[in-house]
Amino acid sequence: WSQDGRPEYVPNELLIKLKDGVAEAQIQSLLATVQTETVEQLQLVPIYHVSVPNGTFLQAQTALTDHPAVEYVERNYYRYIDSAPNDPQYPSMWGLDNTGQTGGTPDAGRRHRCAGSLGPHDRRWEPGGGGDRFRDRPGS
């Protein structure tokens, strides 16, 4: 937990960046060896977002860090916004801060404000698909 009482990272989750040229079979073998469950494979960057069973986190992190096919391993840290952006158009961006500025209900959907890796939300924004979609986070 951080000094202000917010969690610093998602428990039992890791982000794994593999070295270039690692074969898919080697990746799957590696992930199975440390008993991870793939939450998602990021498309823009070759990173695996995985969860590990309770009580095995440090062993999994060490095994992955020491593996020659792994470039780096890190916890799935939360990122928090401590103040509103200084963008002059921010007040009109209802999707970021719903104050009812277009006649709607203030703070409707606030639980999803800045969803994603910006805080401990139980749902995250899933872009695309022709509309507003949120996907339940694993374990929620």
Side-chain angles (χ1 to χ4, degrees):
W1 293 85
S2 65
Q3 291 178 347
D4 61 3
R6 297 184 290 191
E8 291 186 60
Y9 50 83
V10 181
N12 299 321
E13 288 190 5
L14 292 168
L15 301 176
I16 306 166
K17 167 71 167 74
L18 300 168
K19 293 181 180 174
D20 291 336
V22 178
E24 184 65 26
Q26 185 179 7
I27 294 168
Q28 295 309 317
S29 174
L30 169 64
L31 297 178
T33 300
V34 292
Q35 301 176 0
T36 65
E37 179 180 322
T38 302
V39 175
E40 67 184 315
Q41 180 181 353
L42 304 178
Q43 299 301 313
L44 295 177
V45 290
I47 292 178
Y48 284 79
H49 173 195
V50 301
S51 64
V52 297
N54 285 334
T56 65
F57 181 84
L58 292 177
Q59 295 89 344
Q61 184 180 30
T62 300
L64 289 165
T65 299
D66 293 343
H67 197 280
V70 175
E71 189 168 320
Y72 65 83
V73 177
E74 64 182 39
R75 291 182 179 270
N76 186 14
Y77 287 98
Y78 289 119
R79 298 294 178 247
Y80 296 98
I81 297 175
D82 292 327
S83 62
N86 63 359
D87 183 338
Q89 295 299 312
Y90 179 71
S92 65
M93 296 179 190
W94 59 268
L96 297 178
D97 190 12
N98 183 359
T99 61
Q101 62 268 45
T102 60
T105 304
D107 291 332
R110 185 174 179 90
R111 156 178 132 153
H112 305 295
R113 182 177 180 190
C114 300
S117 61
L118 299 175
H121 305 288
D122 58 357
R123 294 164 61 92
R124 71 175 178 84
W125 177 250
E126 185 177 273
D132 295 347
R133 297 188 322 186
F134 286 91
R135 186 174 85 179
D136 290 333
R137 287 185 56 95
S140 61

